[in-house]
């Protein structure tokens, strides 16, 4: 085998490693295009419509979210029809998932063996909560990314970390457990 062919194989392997985190999200996107329902986003959208018209999204029996999410969904309901906005939201969920996989596994790559890197990427790619969040059109990935970005920015002296974590908590209060994680992290105490 010539040196030139070995270099090409090395380049191909390097390119595969660089795009590998994006491939699961693209695969999910191909399947997601065929779906024609609004799932949890539709429930939130209808709550937003009710919030816009009456100011009381809790009149919708299925409404269990926060007043801040009602405000956000009321504004989104003014932008377009439910099905179109659900597709835009699904694209956002997929993009956030792809970005999260890409950022985390790009940073993990120099610190672990190749086998471990591929195994953890495969496990994350088919991590049921992330995939079900995409297909059920839930807000969990948006909230996770807001909280993670806030968590990464904790050491800075500007207010971005607090703003991002506050938005995550305002959208879904389960993130209120984030302070526990911050207390456990030695650098943020």
């Amino acid at each position: 085998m010539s040196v030139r062919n070995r270099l090409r194989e090395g380049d191909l392997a390097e390119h595969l490693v660089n795009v590998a985190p994006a491939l699961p999200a693209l695969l999910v996107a191909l399947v997601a295009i065929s779906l024609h329902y609004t799932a949890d986003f539709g429930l939130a959208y209808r709550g937003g419509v009710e919030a816009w018209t009456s100011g009381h999204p809790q009149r919708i029996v299925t409404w269990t979210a926060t007043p801040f999410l009602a405000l956000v969904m009321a504004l989104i309901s003014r932008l377009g029809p439910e099905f179109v906005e659900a597709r835009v939201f699904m694209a956002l969920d997929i993009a956030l998932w792809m970005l999260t996989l890409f950022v985390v596994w790009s940073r993990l790559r120099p610190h672990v063996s190749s086998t471990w890197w591929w195994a953890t990427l495969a496990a994350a790619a088919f991590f049921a909560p992330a995939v079900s969040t995409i297909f059920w059109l839930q807000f969990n990935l948006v909230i996770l990314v807001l909280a993670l970005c806030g968590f990464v920015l904790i050491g800075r002296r500007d207010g971005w970390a607090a703003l991002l974590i506050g938005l995550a908590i305002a959208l879904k209060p389960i993130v209120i457990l984030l302070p526990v994680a911050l207390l456990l992290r030695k650098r943020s105490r």
Side-chain angles (χ1 to χ4, degrees), residues 15-182:
H15 289 303
L16 179 61
V17 167
N18 288 336
V19 299
L23 295 177
L26 295 175
L27 183 66
V28 167
L30 291 174
V31 175
I33 289 171
S34 66
L35 302 176
H36 298 286
Y37 60 84
T38 59
D40 288 0
F41 181 86
L43 298 174
Y45 184 93
R46 282 177 242 133
V49 169
E50 185 65 30
W52 185 267
T53 56
S54 72
H56 299 284
Q58 67 273 16
R59 289 183 182 167
I60 304 289
V61 175
T62 57
W63 184 262
T64 59
T66 64
F68 184 71
L69 183 60
L71 171 68
V72 170
M73 292 309 296
L75 296 172
I76 288 174
S77 72
R78 302 294 96 201
L79 297 175
E82 182 177 334
F83 182 76
V84 172
E85 296 304 320
R87 295 299 120 224
V88 170
F89 182 75
M90 182 180 277
L92 174 68
D93 254 359
I94 291 170
L96 288 174
W97 186 48
M98 182 172 24
L99 181 67
T100 302
L101 289 174
F102 184 77
V103 168
V104 170
W105 270 264
S106 295
R107 290 182 178 201
L108 185 62
R109 190 168 152 211
H111 303 289
V112 297
S113 70
S114 177
T115 305
W116 185 251
W117 188 86
W118 281 105
T120 57
L121 177 62
F126 300 106
F127 185 56
V131 174
S132 67
T133 290
I134 292 168
F135 284 107
W136 283 103
L137 296 165
Q138 296 173 334
F139 298 92
N140 300 337
L141 284 173
V142 173
I143 293 161
L144 174 69
V145 169
L146 285 171
L148 285 176
C149 289
F151 192 67
V152 166
L153 296 175
I154 285 290
R156 296 173 60 184
R157 293 290 178 213
D158 56 13
W160 285 106
L163 175 70
L164 294 173
I165 292 170
L167 283 173
I169 291 170
L171 289 171
K172 196 166 195 177
I174 191 68
V175 182
I176 202 78
L177 297 175
L178 188 62
V180 173
L182 292 175

